[in-house]
């Protein structure tokens, strides 16, 4: 599926882009960024001050300006800066949230994740080719810690639901074994969130021109992870707004607590934890495959 096909596909459900979920998420991200930037803004030095705080504020603003200038200096700056917003916005608009306009056909989770990941890949490239090479290496390490458990978690959920379509996360399986694999995959997906959205020990600042896209990407990933919780609360057909909002809000609160408590931890130590998680998920996937093979042989 090409980008042109996706846009024409969404053309019949334009409200997803402009109202819900795309428009609402974009509004939340703009509000969040403005709030954070307002708190981080250097205060103006009062008369009689030594000027040290002002100099530090000017230094911070200069560094941010240099980062933005470095991104603008890349070949084809306008398409790159626009794509860092358009692609994750499109990914969020394709999420199968209740109350959203229906789509004519389902969309694979792989497509949505690829759209959401573009700002991060662009941020890695920008950092590695500018003066933020260390941050680029740290961001690349966080990505390498998150992609293996993410892939294994999605495969386990697909083992339970029988599909990799995004709607699969809104279908709670009926069989006992399928239910087990589904919730193991969902649990692994939740555990993968810190390196996936760069929180806690993997927290990193984003280039100024990519900040909006990175925040939108993180919100989209949180919404994907919250889909099974939404499915539980709306299982009886009740699609009240609070049943849809509660799982992502609860997940966001949990991520914030984890971020606050682990942001000063060593990322390398947590990398060993995710290596162990990779091994456990691989064993679980092998067990699921063996059980499925045995059931087919018995039949």
């Amino acid at each position: 599926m090409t980008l042109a096909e996706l846009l024409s596909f969404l053309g019949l459900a334009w409200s997803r882009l402009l109202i819900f979920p795309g428009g609402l998420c974009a509004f939340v991200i703009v509000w969040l960024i403005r709030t954070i930037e307002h708190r981080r803004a250097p205060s103006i030095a009062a008369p009689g001050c030594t000027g040290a705080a002002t100099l530090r504020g000017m230094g911070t603003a200069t560094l941010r300006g240099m980062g933005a200038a470095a991104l603008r200096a890349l070949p084809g700056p306008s398409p790159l800066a626009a794509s860092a917003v358009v692609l994750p916005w499109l990914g969020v608009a394709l999420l199968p949230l209740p109350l959203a306009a229906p789509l004519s056909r389902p969309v694979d989770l792989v497509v949505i994740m690829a759209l959401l990941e573009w700002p991060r890949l662009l941020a890695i490239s920008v950092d590695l080719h500018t003066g933020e090479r260390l941050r680029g290496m740290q961001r690349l390490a966080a990505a390498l810690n998150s992609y293996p458990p993410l892939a294994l978690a999605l495969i386990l959920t697909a083992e339970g639901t029988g599909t990799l379509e995004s709607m699969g996360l809104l279908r709670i399986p009926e069989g006992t074994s399928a239910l087990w694999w589904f919730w193991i995959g969902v649990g692994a997906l939740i555990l993968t969130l810190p390196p996936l959205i760069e929180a806690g020990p993997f927290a990193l600042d984003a280039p100024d021109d990519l900040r909006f896209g990175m925040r939108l990407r993180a919100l989209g990933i949180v919404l994907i992870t919250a889909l099974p919780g939404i499915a539980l609360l709306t299982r009886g057909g009740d699609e009240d707004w609070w049943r849809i909002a509660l799982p992502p809000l609860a997940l966001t609160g949990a991520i914030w607590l984890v971020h606050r408590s682990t942001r000063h931890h060593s990322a390398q130590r947590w990398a060993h934890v995710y290596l162990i998680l990779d091994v456990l998920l691989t064993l679980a996937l092998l067990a699921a495959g063996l059980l499925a093979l045995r059931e087919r042989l018995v039949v």
Side-chain angles (χ1 to χ4, degrees), residues 109 153-175 177-183 185-186 228 231:
L109 271 173
L154 293 181
I155 293 174
L156 281 171
T157 58
E159 181 68 24
T161 59
T163 180
L164 266 175
E165 295 175 354
S166 56
M167 286 297 297
L169 291 178
L170 284 174
R171 301 171 188 162
I172 307 299
E174 297 296 336
S177 60
L179 195 63
W180 271 100
W181 301 130
F182 176 77
W183 287 115
V186 172

Side-chain angles (χ1 to χ4, degrees), residues 1-9 83 86-87 90 115:
M1 182 179 291
T2 64
L3 182 59
E5 291 174 340
L6 283 175
L7 290 174
S8 62
F9 178 53
S83 66
V86 172
L87 295 187
L90 182 59
L115 293 171

Side-chain angles (χ1 to χ4, degrees), residues 220-239:
I221 292 174
V222 169
L223 289 175
I224 289 176
T225 309
L227 286 177
I230 295 174
L232 275 179
L233 293 182
T234 60
R235 199 170 187 179
D238 298 325
E239 294 186 350

Side-chain angles (χ1 to χ4, degrees), residues 43-62:
S43 58
I44 301 176
C49 292
T50 60
T54 305
L55 289 176
R56 285 195 297 269
M58 291 175 62
T60 302
T62 302

